[in-house]
Amino acid sequence: MRTPKVLLLALAVVAGALALPGTASAAYSDPLTTTAKQNLVWHATPAAALTALDNALPNVSLNTVVNDTSYAMTGCTGAEKAALPKAPAATKSLCWDSERAGSTTWVPQGITTSGDADDDGLWGADKVILSGWHSTDALGRYDDARIQAVNYDNPAAAAHRMMYLAVPNSTGSTFTAAKAHMGGMAWYGDKIYVTAVGNTSTAIRVFSTQHILQLTDTTSNAIGKTSGGYAAYTYKYAMMQVGYYTYAGGTCSMASDTGVPCFSSISLDRSTSPASLVTTEYFSDQSLQGRLYRFPMGADYLLTGTAAEAFRSSVGNMQGVLSHDGKWYVAHSSATVNGQLWTQTTAKSTSATCGSTAACWAVHPEALTYDWSTGLVWSQSEWSTADCTAQSQTCGRSVFAVPLSSLAA
């Protein structure tokens, strides 16, 4: 979720004592409280449409994509390193090539890894990081969505290939761009979940690694069927939506913490049986309190649609959510200083401190994901070098990880 470039907080971020404007009795150190559950409704893409596209174009594996990389990840610059968490310190970090690092037309948001997807932490023979990005008004196509598929087999030589996200029409004769803010991602089996956009009835879009298409027209600045074949704005690969979830309550509201929630971020929790998807919502208004939901997985790596748990958090500006072994972790963002990472249960809420402050997490942080196979929590920072420079801040975009064991208990 894009953090408004205004002073969202008074910057009095002393751990355990940050009161929210308009809710003087609420502090980030307050524990979770239960709230009403919200349910989801599944809408599948017609199987015949997916088959038609699979027959019209080469259907390739995700392993093919991550072994066909086009851009190298880089070491982080001084400014990008300055955006990394202070406490706990990042034990892994990698940064984007200059075009991605400085892009004002695309913005990184959600993140997931093959540590979500499969029991051995690999997808086939590959270690994979998926970084979700949404387009901005500067591109002329706000909230188009793409995934940077990073080959992490050799961390010292990580590289990536970009895939566009697309929605087939009802017959599979063409497809359009998927509209998604990409605030959160989760990958389980062949299914890749991404958050949609706010103030609509669509909650989550679902894609599949079984329906990645190699495009036959890589020169047209268009998407779908063209005179030259099939295109996605010159990209080589596009992944097809296999369905989506709507909010059972109707259209969500980004201005209300009592109506239907707009999911801003999601992640997978493998510690539950069955595995589950957890969600949160983002408010720039500090007087509003975001809610957390858990949805169990059912058959075919899809959700049951019925919420198992629902909580309200007092942490503001929640950009990322994670749950593991009964604990919830939420990443807060500030417009001007490091964010905060809080560990929450119904009994307590705690955060790492650095000096006298809880502002120890990354600068302009985004989603969270846990790679259970390595014990690492991965995240990424959002603002480009241009964004940071314009606000006289020393920061930049990075992908980083910290051990789950290093987070506040």
Side-chain angles (χ1 to χ4, degrees):
M1 189 66 64
R2 191 69 169 168
T3 305
K5 297 175 186 176
V6 296
L7 187 61
L8 300 178
L9 304 176
L11 304 184
V13 287
V14 177
L18 180 58
L20 304 180
T23 56
S25 61
Y28 288 10
S29 57
D30 289 348
L32 298 174
T33 57
T34 56
T35 189
K37 297 175 182 177
Q38 303 282 343
N39 295 329
L40 299 172
V41 179
W42 171 243
H43 307 264
T45 299
L50 293 166
T51 299
L53 285 168
D54 287 343
N55 290 337
L57 290 160
N59 182 316
V60 303
S61 69
L62 183 58
N63 301 93
T64 295
V65 174
V66 298
N67 285 286
D68 183 24
T69 56
S70 50
Y71 300 99
M73 303 299 287
T74 69
C76 299
T77 66
E80 290 162 345
K81 289 178 181 178
L84 295 173
K86 295 180 180 179
T91 56
K92 306 284 185 183
S93 63
L94 57 160
C95 288
W96 304 102
D97 59 280
S98 59
E99 185 177 348
R100 257 50 52 186
S103 176
T104 58
T105 55
W106 289 92
V107 178
Q109 299 281 291
I111 189 169
T112 185
T113 76
S114 51
D116 271 351
D118 206 352
D119 289 343
D120 63 1
L122 302 173
W123 189 248
D126 296 310
K127 189 69 176 177
V128 182
I129 299 171
L130 300 182
S131 172
W133 295 50
H134 75 85
S135 60
T136 70
D137 285 330
L139 188 67
R141 305 191 303 268
Y142 189 72
D143 276 344
D144 273 18
R146 75 184 187 195
I147 288 175
Q148 325 279 95
V150 180
N151 185 320
Y152 199 61
D153 292 340
N154 178 2
H160 71 93
R161 165 70 75 168
M162 300 186 294
M163 295 186 293
Y164 228 79
L165 299 187
V167 179
N169 68 355
S170 61
T171 63
S173 62
T174 190
F175 48 83
T176 55
K179 293 297 180 181
H181 199 72
M182 304 295 285
M185 297 177 66
W187 180 8
Y188 193 47
D190 70 295
K191 302 300 191 297
I192 295 176
Y193 293 76
V194 308
T195 51
V197 298
N199 297 318
T200 68
S201 61
T202 302
I204 298 170
R205 297 188 181 277
V206 185
F207 300 83
S208 172
T209 59
Q210 295 180 359
H211 298 286
I212 299 174
L213 305 180
Q214 183 173 330
L215 302 167
T216 52
D217 179 355
T218 57
T219 60
S220 295
N221 190 31
I223 190 164
K225 187 74 171 69
T226 69
S227 59
Y230 291 84
Y233 299 113
T234 73
Y235 285 57
K236 186 174 181 178
Y237 300 106
M239 184 160 55
M240 297 295 116
Q241 178 177 284
V242 296
Y244 64 97
Y245 291 92
T246 56
Y247 302 105
T251 300
C252 73
S253 172
M254 296 183 69
S256 167
D257 62 0
T258 57
V260 177
C262 293
F263 297 159
S264 62
S265 196
I266 58 177
S267 67
L268 183 73
D269 186 352
R270 275 180 159 270
S271 70
T272 59
S273 183
S276 55
L277 190 82
V278 295
T279 76
T280 190
E281 57 183 336
Y282 170 92
F283 295 111
S284 58
D285 181 347
Q286 291 288 295
S287 68
L288 300 177
Q289 295 176 286
R291 291 161 291 180
L292 311 172
Y293 300 93
R294 182 186 303 280
F295 297 93
M297 288 289 177
D300 198 24
Y301 304 109
L302 293 172
L303 305 176
T304 64
T306 303
E309 291 184 306
F311 299 104
R312 187 177 296 278
S313 172
S314 292
V315 175
N317 297 120
M318 288 192 290
Q319 296 277 24
V321 61
L322 188 71
S323 178
H324 186 77
D325 283 345
K327 294 180 181 178
W328 293 74
Y329 304 87
V330 293
H332 147 97
S333 68
S334 166
T336 57
V337 297
N338 286 67
Q340 303 172 41
L341 187 65
W342 288 81
T343 303
Q344 298 195 294
T345 67
T346 55
K348 64 179 181 178
S349 178
T350 57
S351 175
T353 58
C354 43
S356 60
T357 180
C360 308
W361 193 231
V363 180
H364 310 303
E366 280 296 326
L368 302 168
T369 188
Y370 177 58
D371 182 344
W372 67 272
S373 67
T374 61
L376 293 176
V377 174
W378 287 89
S379 185
Q380 59 184 346
S381 50
E382 172 187 16
W383 278 23
S384 71
T385 48
D387 289 331
C388 296
T389 299
Q391 296 299 312
S392 300
Q393 297 178 18
T394 303
C395 58
R397 290 174 177 155
S398 62
V399 178
F400 60 88
V402 302
L404 179 70
S405 59
S406 68
L407 302 185

